Amino acid sequence: DAGVIQSPRHEVTEMGQEVTLRCKPISGHDYLFWYRQTMMRGLELLIYFNNNVPIDDSGMPEDRFSAKMPNASFSTLKIQPSEPRDSAVYFCASSNWRETGELFFGEGSRLTVL
Amino acid sequence: DAKTTQPTSMDCAEGRAANLPCNHSTISGNEYVYWYRQIHSQGPQYIIHGLKNNETNEMASLIITEDRKSSTLILPHATLRDTAVYYCIVRRRNSGGGADGLTFGKGTHLIIQP
């Protein structure tokens, strides 16, 4: 398996623009997680899905952030409009929780908002 | 989930065993101890987890004290590639299949010296 695949790996955009980050989880995994990492705040859980349904979005910072999972093999995290404080590395992870409880992380999408 | 306390940083000589401590004095009976690491610019990687018995896999050993209030991750023969931030995480594992995301603290920055 190719692991969790995220795109783009790097994104530089200007304040006010819409940003869409994409994630393809590992096939057969029924949980998908979106995390954000900054130097100041470390790794923060934003939202997670179970069987494509959002379960807990309490970590989503504000209404500018939205996440969808239209099917078991694809999820998006959208920021509209983007702000400089959204600059961070965004990680997607997937899991088959009934087994080890291990989360498999992607390589991350580094977002810079100017 | 119970909180954990880890040293901010540690050094270890290449080829030696690296012993990373973690305190989790408020752990409850149904909470597991998980260890992840994050090598620079990569997504976190699962290492090992345990409930109360010591565990070993190809990457590391996990020693949990009898009262379960602390644990030690052991990398038996550290290499330069083991330089990373190591996270100790305590959480429930819902056998019914429900899950929430892992909560990452600051972790220990382990530096392997040549």
Side-chain angles (χ1 to χ4, degrees):
Chain A
D1 200 314
V4 175
I5 300 173
Q6 293 187 244
S7 64
R9 291 294 311 278
H10 301 274
E11 174 93 5
V12 180
T13 190
E14 293 189 344
M15 183 173 63
Q17 297 298 305
E18 177 179 293
V19 174
T20 299
L21 307 178
R22 297 172 177 79
C23 176
K24 176 178 168 57
I26 293 173
S27 176
H29 283 188
D30 53 355
Y31 284 86
L32 184 139
F33 305 83
W34 281 100
Y35 281 85
R36 175 173 70 174
Q37 185 171 36
T38 61
M39 288 292 293
M40 290 296 294
R41 301 174 68 89
L43 271 162
E44 302 173 278
L45 175 64
L46 300 178
I47 185 172
Y48 77 93
F49 296 82
N50 176 218
N51 292 323
N52 314 337
V53 176
I55 302 300
D56 184 354
D57 65 354
S58 59
M60 296 285 262
E62 49 197 277
D63 291 345
R64 297 184 296 106
F65 286 69
S66 62
K68 294 182 179 180
M69 192 165 185
N71 57 61
S73 59
F74 184 65
S75 176
T76 60
L77 178 68
K78 185 175 292 187
I79 308 172
Q80 167 63 18
S82 58
E83 296 182 2
R85 60 190 167 128
D86 302 330
S87 297
V89 181
Y90 291 81
F91 288 103
C92 175
S94 70
S95 172
N96 183 336
W97 200 258
R98 289 172 184 78
E99 297 184 356
T100 66
E102 174 183 355
L103 266 63
F104 293 82
F105 283 79
E107 292 298 311
S109 294
R110 180 175 294 277
L111 173 65
T112 302
V113 183
L114 303 175
Chain B
D1 295 332
K3 289 190 175 180
T4 62
T5 304
Q6 298 178 254
T8 302
S9 65
M10 293 181 62
D11 287 351
C12 179
E14 187 178 17
R16 298 283 194 175
N19 297 281
L20 291 92
C22 180
N23 275 314
H24 31 79
S25 58
T26 60
I27 193 170
S28 59
N30 62 350
E31 288 181 316
Y32 288 71
V33 180
Y34 284 84
W35 283 84
Y36 280 71
R37 74 179 182 183
Q38 187 174 23
I39 296 170
H40 182 61
S41 297
Q42 297 183 18
Q45 176 191 25
Y46 167 83
I47 301 172
I48 199 168
H49 78 284
L51 182 62
K52 51 185 175 182
N53 297 322
N54 298 338
E55 302 288 344
T56 296
N57 62 21
E58 65 279 3
M59 289 182 69
S61 295
L62 174 60
I63 308 298
I64 303 174
T65 58
E66 192 169 342
D67 63 6
R68 303 207 324 122
K69 293 183 185 298
S70 65
S71 61
T72 301
L73 178 75
I74 301 171
L75 308 177
H77 303 288
T79 71
L80 298 178
R81 288 175 295 179
D82 292 322
T83 292
V85 178
Y86 287 77
Y87 299 97
C88 170
I89 302 163
V90 173
R91 71 174 312 285
R92 292 175 296 110
R93 178 156 173 241
N94 186 333
S95 61
D100 51 350
L102 296 170
T103 300
F104 289 81
K106 299 292 187 185
T108 295
H109 187 193
L110 176 67
I111 300 170
I112 305 301
Q113 305 281 2

